[in-house]
Amino acid sequence: MENNNTLGLIFSGNPEVNLGELMKVRSLAAVPVGGRYRIVDFMLSNMVNSGIVNVGITTGTKHRSLSDHVGSGKAWDMARKTNGLFLIPPPETLDNNTRTLESIDFVNSAMSFLTRSRQDYVILSDCNTICSINFEDVIDKHFKNDADITVVYTEVGELTPKELGHHIMLDANADGSISDIQVYPQRQKTNLAYMNMMFIKKDLLIELVGDCLAHDKHSIAKDILLANLHKLRIFGYKFDGYKKTIDSIKSFFGFNLDLLDPNIRHELFGTNDARSIHTKVKDSVPTKYGREAEVKNSVIADGCTIEGRVENCIIFRGVKIGKNSVVKDAIIMQNSRIMDDCRVENAIFDKEVILCNGKKLIGQGTYPLVIGKRTIV
Amino acid sequence: MKSKECVAMILAGGQGSRLGILTKDVAKPAVPFGGKYRIIDFPLSNCTHSGITTVGVLTQYQPLELNTYIGNGQPWDLDRNDGGVYVLPPYVSAEKGEWYKGTANAIYQNIGFISKFDPEYVVILSGDHIYKMDYSLMIKAHKEANAAATIAVIEVPWDEASRFGIMNTDADLNIVEFEEKPANPKSNLASMGVYVFTWSILKKYLIADENDPQSDNDFGKNIIPKMLGDGNRLLAYKFDGYWKDVGTIQSLWEANMNLLSENPGYLLDDDDWKIFSRTPAMPPHYLAPTSRVKNCYITAGCEIEGDVENSVIFEGVKIEEGAVIRDSVLFPCCVVKKGATVNKAMIGTNAYIGQKAVIGSDDEDAIADFYNSKICSDDITLIGPDVVVEEGVKLGKCAMVTRNVKNKVEEKSAVDETSADIITA
């Protein structure tokens, strides 16, 4: 059923995350993943699959790629007369600002979208945590707890100091209420990590954002959650499924290769239409395998022509791999072309890269080689 | 309503009985083709690329799936404020209501629809051919010749000409005679079932034809000969691309196999003339470490662990470890379990082939109950949609399997119902 009282707000970027070459031409939300998707497809589909039919996506600089991708929202069934999909223009201070814009600035950029929408509640979420979550359960829990804010968290193992540097750790009481919030802690005290998704009443969000901006405060984690830890009823919702936050080239590579695991694939993409992940339709032809093709353990999208050897790879739409070429442990994005007699290992090819006959590109397992969009090697 | 220069009408009401179980519940134009398409995607996409944005689809036989598939026309860019795609079933009016009696009658019954757009020309298409064609070039030729009708023709091998409607023309390609399936063809120019008519002229002939109780209300049999007899200028328009009638199981199988050849005769993977289709939201396909895939067409949602060669695999198909697929077409979401063998077969949507089952077997002990040389020729075996072939069942080739097939070993322990099941084949 459509949930007509909750709207979604997705952040298309995260000031803490930079994927280098892959984000040179696009925002985090528009980074291609999983053979035919963009990062934002997962959160957007989660919302749509949870019955949320009014979603705003904030934008920063470099939003061409994202707006091209989401278009009218048709692919997510979000081209509607009332509600639907809205790209929020970048914050007005973007051009001449002297500080980095933070999450509250982006919520503020969506203020007219929030106030004009009919819904009373908001799901706020980053785009770069990939999981299959049903927000209906989060919403249920929120009302059962009579909470002001419900935050989604997950259990994690031991984190490295570097990883802790961009995690918000939580501690919860037996009744599910949040007892402590540590923003980017030096030392790990708990194993509950905030997934950057929260549910809140719209009026309360607008009030809190207004308060923060009036006091020159800009961080949702610090200035809304932490500052109100003892003033508001903040509860947690524990998410137990597969999740991966894409915040580095390493985790980007890791998430893509996770898709070679059938269990993860089935959980993320669902086994029925109700949980499927939607994306822009390209009308590619099916993939053609040649007589000499030899493909093992790979996820391959439509529209490819494969004549060489492919192993442990994620191959996007329209990729061509020539005869006698060997491609291993690699992510090859849309319309890239690997000609004959090439060898590629541990590499990420952005879109439309051309690797000419006989070339070799070999990266390290711990540090894959990234080749920028439209490079010709 | 703004007037349109040209309106296209697609005749999609045919049953396609020669496709056997494949068209039991769906009209022929909705039959899957080429890994992710339906036959009707070809004329619809051709219309869009040719700049014809007002398209009527005439449905009659089993229209539910076809109607659902066409929907609002969005996949073909035919969801327009002005024009777009319209599904046109037969209807009842105040005086009378009746089925479409023939191709000409189907258009006659929709004179009201066409007249709303007040077009100069009407393009009549059929929903059962695989080809890529720019209709705008044909309309241009029609205009330049100031013809009453233009009929697209393709050269067919002389020994096959007697299977087609043949156009005999003069040197300028003016049609002088039309012969339906002539025993001794005088020409090898076969009609492709693609017509351009000047609407004002066609309308007169449709009305006259309807008032003639002797008429079969058919374009080929009645309208075209009548127009010729009256001295109208009828032009043949030569098309030299790939064109394939997929009206039989053998030709449908061949058209799928053509895609795998080095030179399929046309480029399916062409950014300038994409064939659009309604795309399901499925993840990219996965080839497991145990898979072996050679010379295949494979699309989204498939999980392949087995050995697949010379085959076209539609969306959402699962092929388990040790299964061997050769020279076959597997329709959407069918499942082939461990160790099963599929030889030169077409497996219907959602069908299930159990462990170690064999489809298209040469062995003498294979079940021959489903042998059907009328529908299946050239040793092709056809498994119907949703059919379950149980573990270990061995089915002979050239068969059309329309019902679930149980394992004979189990059958002995439960003789009563299962044996009856097989015998009534």
Side-chain angles (χ1 to χ4, degrees):
Chain A
M1 268 280 280
E2 289 185 356
N3 180 334
N4 284 319
N5 209 19
T6 302
L7 65 84
L9 187 61
I10 301 175
F11 298 104
S12 71
N14 179 332
E16 319 273 333
V17 176
N18 190 346
L19 302 183
E21 193 71 47
L22 300 181
M23 283 175 60
K24 228 172 167 174
V25 289
R26 49 176 91 88
S27 57
L28 180 60
V31 169
V33 284
R36 66 188 293 246
Y37 303 97
R38 304 290 183 134
I39 283 179
V40 73
D41 291 342
F42 290 86
M43 188 45 65
L44 194 49
S45 299
N46 278 332
M47 289 193 175
V48 172
N49 293 340
S50 305
I52 297 167
V53 292
N54 192 23
V55 176
I57 303 176
T58 70
T59 58
T61 51
K62 298 177 198 163
H63 57 259
R64 186 211 60 84
S65 165
L66 180 63
S67 53
D68 183 46
H69 178 69
V70 300
S72 66
K74 184 77 215 174
W76 298 266
D77 215 357
M78 295 278 272
R80 310 273 185 117
K81 279 196 170 170
T82 43
N83 302 319
L85 187 65
F86 298 87
L87 280 183
I88 312 292
E92 279 169 22
T93 52
L94 199 64
D95 295 331
N96 53 0
N97 67 308
T98 47
R99 59 178 179 85
T100 312
L101 289 168
E102 291 181 67
S103 44
I104 289 180
D105 302 306
F106 286 99
V107 178
N108 191 43
S109 71
M111 204 45 85
S112 7
F113 165 69
L114 292 173
T115 49
R116 291 164 76 114
S117 295
R118 297 173 187 178
Q119 289 79 6
D120 292 322
Y121 293 88
V122 184
I123 293 267
L124 275 177
S125 175
D126 272 4
C127 65
N128 60 327
T129 294
I130 312 270
C131 63
S132 176
I133 183 169
N134 188 346
F135 287 116
E136 287 165 305
D137 299 341
V138 180
I139 296 167
D140 273 357
K141 194 114 195 224
H142 178 89
F143 290 113
K144 273 194 192 118
N145 288 330
D146 191 24
D148 292 315
I149 297 175
T150 297
V151 293
V152 180
Y153 65 84
T154 186
E155 224 171 270
V156 293
E158 202 172 310
L159 300 175
T160 63
K162 199 178 164 198
E163 286 171 327
L164 275 176
H166 46 84
H167 271 83
I168 294 157
M169 305 303 290
L170 308 174
D171 212 351
N173 297 315
D175 67 349
S177 61
I178 299 298
S179 57
D180 194 16
I181 299 174
Q182 302 141 35
V183 180
Y184 313 142
Q186 305 265 325
R187 268 185 331 112
Q188 184 171 2
K189 286 188 196 155
T190 78
N191 62 346
L192 306 182
Y194 176 45
M195 285 172 68
N196 292 341
M197 299 168 200
M198 63 186 249
F199 184 71
I200 183 171
K201 196 169 191 172
K202 185 171 78 179
D203 290 344
L204 177 60
L205 176 70
I206 292 172
E207 186 192 319
L208 291 169
V209 164
D211 258 10
C212 285
L213 290 174
H215 293 94
D216 198 21
K217 306 261 192 219
H218 303 274
S219 155
I220 289 180
K222 287 182 210 159
D223 307 316
I224 288 186
L225 295 178
L226 184 55
N228 291 296
L229 182 59
H230 302 296
K231 293 182 202 149
L232 295 171
R233 290 176 62 80
I234 302 180
F235 279 73
Y237 171 89
K238 187 166 167 231
F239 176 75
D240 288 320
Y242 168 85
K243 64 111 206 174
K244 186 101 180 178
T245 299
I246 297 180
D247 53 7
S248 62
I249 288 292
K250 195 179 159 208
S251 53
F252 169 82
F253 201 63
F255 165 67
N256 278 282
L257 296 186
D258 276 356
L259 294 180
L260 298 176
D261 179 334
N263 295 326
I264 293 177
R265 220 168 41 240
H266 295 159
E267 182 185 331
L268 271 184
F269 297 114
T271 41
N272 61 39
D273 289 346
R275 307 296 316 161
S276 54
I277 305 297
H278 297 267
T279 190
K280 185 180 171 185
V281 171
K282 287 267 199 291
D283 288 290
S284 320
V285 298
T287 279
K288 169 92 192 277
Y289 292 91
R291 289 177 197 283
E292 289 158 49
E294 216 172 290
V295 183
K296 307 278 178 202
N297 196 37
S298 294
V299 163
I300 299 186
D302 276 354
C304 300
T305 306
I306 312 283
E307 297 185 85
R309 254 179 73 191
V310 178
E311 212 174 309
N312 308 330
C313 288
I314 307 290
I315 310 286
F316 284 66
R317 290 183 280 204
V319 167
K320 297 200 171 10
I321 297 178
K323 288 183 174 139
N324 286 320
S325 280
V326 179
V327 184
K328 276 179 75 177
D329 306 300
I331 296 164
I332 311 293
M333 291 187 196
Q334 200 179 310
N335 295 336
S336 280
R337 183 151 180 221
I338 295 169
M339 293 163 99
D340 299 344
D341 307 306
C342 296
R343 191 172 180 92
V344 176
E345 276 177 46
N346 289 307
I348 298 169
F349 280 26
D350 203 321
K351 287 166 71 174
E352 293 161 43
V353 168
I354 297 177
L355 191 61
C356 298
N357 283 340
K359 293 282 185 283
K360 284 189 177 56
L361 281 178
I362 300 185
Q364 296 301 313
T366 45
Y367 198 82
L369 201 63
V370 183
I371 311 292
K373 190 172 172 180
R374 294 208 184 98
T375 307
I376 299 175
V377 183
Chain B
M1 193 81 60
K2 264 203 290 195
S3 74
K4 296 271 175 183
E5 188 183 17
C6 181
V7 169
M9 301 294 274
I10 302 179
L11 301 163
Q15 181 183 354
S17 53
R18 286 173 302 159
L19 291 178
I21 187 75
L22 287 186
T23 49
K24 185 172 160 271
D25 296 319
V26 301
K28 181 154 80 166
V31 166
F33 171 80
K36 65 182 295 194
Y37 306 97
R38 306 291 187 118
I39 297 169
I40 199 163
D41 288 331
F42 287 80
L44 282 176
S45 303
N46 285 340
C47 281
T48 302
H49 292 303
S50 303
I52 302 171
T53 55
T54 305
V55 182
V57 180
L58 299 128
T59 62
Q60 176 155 292
Y61 173 80
Q62 289 286 10
L64 180 62
E65 186 154 333
L66 186 59
N67 292 359
T68 317
Y69 184 72
I70 294 171
N72 66 351
Q74 187 266 335
W76 305 271
D77 242 349
L78 290 172
D79 53 335
R80 305 283 176 127
N81 289 338
D82 181 22
V85 67
Y86 298 79
V87 174
L88 303 167
Y91 58 91
V92 176
S93 63
E95 293 84 33
K96 57 172 185 176
E98 56 185 350
W99 297 107
Y100 293 147
K101 289 180 288 184
T103 50
N105 175 259
I107 303 297
Y108 170 82
Q109 291 200 37
N110 286 289
I111 285 178
F113 167 79
I114 298 170
S115 297
K116 271 205 314 186
F117 297 98
D118 190 24
E120 288 286 315
Y121 309 103
V122 171
V123 179
I124 311 279
L125 305 165
S126 67
D128 36 15
H129 300 130
I130 302 298
Y131 65 113
K132 285 178 151 191
M133 181 177 182
D134 189 343
Y135 305 132
S136 70
L137 299 177
M138 183 174 167
I139 295 165
K140 193 164 163 253
H142 175 87
K143 267 198 255 185
E144 280 169 4
N146 202 14
T150 299
I151 302 172
V153 294
I154 187 160
E155 282 186 38
V156 293
W158 278 96
D159 56 338
E160 287 178 26
S162 54
R163 287 174 30 212
F164 294 91
I166 293 294
M167 301 292 161
N168 300 324
T169 65
D170 65 16
D172 294 328
L173 286 176
N174 289 306
I175 298 168
V176 293
E177 190 187 7
F178 170 78
E179 291 182 289
E180 182 68 38
K181 297 182 182 154
N184 299 303
K186 293 175 214 145
S187 140
N188 67 338
L189 295 178
S191 166
M192 294 165 59
V194 174
Y195 307 90
V196 176
F197 289 99
T198 298
W199 174 235
S200 53
I201 300 172
L202 176 64
K203 195 166 151 186
K204 277 196 305 202
Y205 277 91
L206 287 174
I207 294 168
D209 180 68
E210 184 63 18
N211 291 330
D212 175 3
Q214 305 301 317
S215 175
D216 288 326
N217 309 115
D218 184 86
F219 275 102
K221 269 189 230 158
N222 309 108
I223 301 282
I224 301 294
K226 191 89 185 18
M227 286 178 97
L228 270 177
D230 290 353
N232 286 289
R233 181 163 194 201
L234 268 67
L235 188 71
Y237 175 82
K238 263 195 188 171
F239 176 75
D240 58 4
Y242 178 95
W243 176 83
K244 181 109 182 159
D245 182 293
V246 286
T248 63
I249 289 299
Q250 187 179 347
S251 61
L252 182 62
W253 179 83
E254 278 171 7
N256 278 286
M257 290 301 133
N258 282 163
L259 290 170
L260 300 173
S261 69
E262 288 295 318
N263 180 16
Y266 65 108
L267 201 57
L268 200 51
D269 190 2
D270 173 6
D271 279 349
D272 295 331
W273 205 278
K274 277 184 180 176
I275 299 302
F276 301 126
S277 64
R278 200 170 275 284
T279 310
M282 288 191 180
H285 63 266
Y286 173 70
L287 302 191
T290 53
S291 73
R292 180 182 167 277
V293 168
K294 304 269 182 199
N295 201 36
C296 284
Y297 243 49
I298 301 182
T299 189
C302 296
E303 307 247 331
I304 316 274
E305 296 171 354
D307 176 350
V308 190
E309 204 168 317
N310 296 329
S311 297
V312 173
I313 313 292
F314 280 74
E315 72 264 12
V317 168
K318 308 255 179 296
I319 299 174
E320 292 192 354
E321 198 174 337
V324 177
I325 316 286
R326 292 288 181 272
D327 309 313
S328 294
V329 182
L330 274 59
F331 284 168
C333 301
C334 58
V335 177
V336 181
K337 300 297 280 184
K338 281 190 179 130
T341 303
V342 176
N343 260 326
K344 202 170 183 181
M346 295 219 265
I347 312 288
T349 306
N350 276 324
Y352 175 99
I353 312 298
Q355 273 193 36
K356 297 198 175 145
V358 181
I359 308 296
S361 167
D362 276 329
D363 295 355
E364 282 184 9
D365 62 341
I367 299 174
D369 308 46
F370 297 96
Y371 183 78
N372 186 331
S373 59
K374 217 171 125 197
I375 298 291
C376 303
S377 50
D378 200 24
D379 290 348
I380 299 164
T381 299
L382 176 61
I383 307 288
D386 302 310
V387 163
V388 175
V389 176
E390 281 194 355
E391 187 176 337
V393 168
K394 198 190 273 182
L395 286 167
K397 59 191 182 183
C398 209
M400 178 167 85
V401 183
T402 51
R403 294 177 295 99
N404 296 352
V405 190
K406 299 195 173 176
N407 190 311
K408 278 186 170 171
V409 181
E410 284 169 35
E411 186 193 322
K412 277 169 195 155
S413 56
V415 180
D416 43 351
E417 50 170 343
T418 47
S419 56
D421 215 23
I422 297 268
I423 289 160
T424 50

